[in-house]
Amino acid sequence: MRLLALLLALCAISAAQAQQPTAATITAQRDSVPTTTIVPVQQAPLTLRDTISAPAPDSRPMNHRQRREERARRYAMTIDSLVATRSFAFYPTVMQAVPDGEIRLVYADYFYAYISPVDLEVHLPLERGAMRQVSMMNFDSDRIENYVSAKFQTQWNISFSARDDGRQYDFSLMISPVTGQTELTVEGPDGAMRYVGSVGQRSRER
């Protein structure tokens, strides 16, 4: 009987040990732990477009005719911007004494008239005397008077006056934003001169 009781006790102990959970030891190495790197992503700004009331932009490339029209439109905008700033330069290519002087071509690139809201610089060829000898109109003025500009259809008309050593000069400009042709008339003590050329920005000291 004692042997039987001993066997039963051993069986009970074995069964209790089998029911207990076993703990497993896991050793994790440092290099085996995955790391997550967060990379910031810069997104493009969101553009909202009214697709109901506004027409969709034409993504088709322009043909030759459209490109020519676009160049002409941008050129006219450039002329209008120059006139609006009241700061531009006139470069002559043709000169003539008014009313019936000889038409002369101007090849020298150092002739110009620079107009700005605060000063006027004039360096233009000039015909004087009965023999129509060519000389220089060369003066600066720090005051422009009676400046008026107005656009009629496709032409700008600008007029103003300035003084040099007490002598008055009256200027009149006609500028075409379509062709770029500019006609400048200067009336001074020695007579009147008409110039044909173009307007643009003052690119360098002359």
Side-chain angles (χ1 to χ4, degrees):
M1 293 295 295
R2 292 181 179 177
L3 182 59
L4 181 60
L6 181 59
L7 291 175
L8 291 176
L10 291 175
C11 290
I13 293 173
S14 299
Q17 291 179 351
Q19 291 178 358
Q20 292 180 356
T22 59
T25 302
I26 301 174
T27 303
Q29 298 181 0
R30 181 178 181 180
D31 296 338
S32 64
V33 178
T35 59
T36 303
T37 302
I38 300 176
V39 179
V41 178
Q42 184 177 1
Q43 297 182 352
L46 180 63
T47 303
L48 300 179
R49 182 172 58 87
D50 185 1
T51 59
I52 298 177
S53 60
D58 191 358
S59 59
R60 295 175 299 177
M62 292 187 296
N63 55 34
H64 293 288
R65 178 182 61 83
Q66 292 171 332
R67 284 197 291 268
R68 290 192 294 267
E69 292 176 351
E70 179 65 16
R71 285 197 296 268
R73 186 185 68 84
R74 292 183 179 180
Y75 181 81
M77 290 178 59
T78 301
I79 298 296
D80 291 343
S81 298
L82 284 174
V83 174
T85 60
R86 291 181 55 181
S87 180
F88 54 89
F90 168 76
Y91 302 110
T93 55
V94 176
M95 59 176 287
Q96 180 186 22
V98 178
D100 55 356
E102 179 184 355
I103 297 177
R104 302 173 183 266
L105 298 178
V106 180
Y107 294 100
D109 63 353
Y110 52 78
F111 289 116
Y112 70 98
Y114 176 57
I115 299 99
S116 77
V118 295
D119 65 348
L120 172 69
E121 296 182 17
V122 177
H123 186 211
L124 295 172
L126 174 68
E127 285 189 356
R128 288 178 175 175
M131 300 301 294
R132 297 297 186 184
Q133 294 182 352
V134 178
S135 58
M136 302 290 180
M137 185 191 311
N138 185 16
F139 69 91
D140 298 337
S141 178
D142 58 359
R143 183 177 180 183
I144 295 178
E145 300 176 344
N146 305 321
Y147 188 97
V148 178
S149 65
K151 188 176 184 181
F152 299 98
Q153 295 182 353
T154 59
Q155 178 174 284
W156 282 100
N157 293 339
I158 302 172
S159 62
F160 59 91
S161 60
R163 291 182 176 273
D164 175 45
D165 291 336
R167 298 181 298 178
Q168 180 169 324
Y169 293 86
D170 296 322
F171 296 79
S172 176
L173 283 156
M174 293 186 297
I175 306 172
S176 170
V178 179
T179 64
Q181 175 177 311
T182 302
E183 183 176 325
L184 169 64
T185 302
V186 183
E187 297 183 9
D190 299 320
M193 290 292 300
R194 180 183 295 114
Y195 306 90
V196 178
S198 61
V199 293
Q201 294 181 346
R202 191 185 187 189
S203 58
R204 63 183 184 276
E205 293 291 335
R206 297 186 175 221

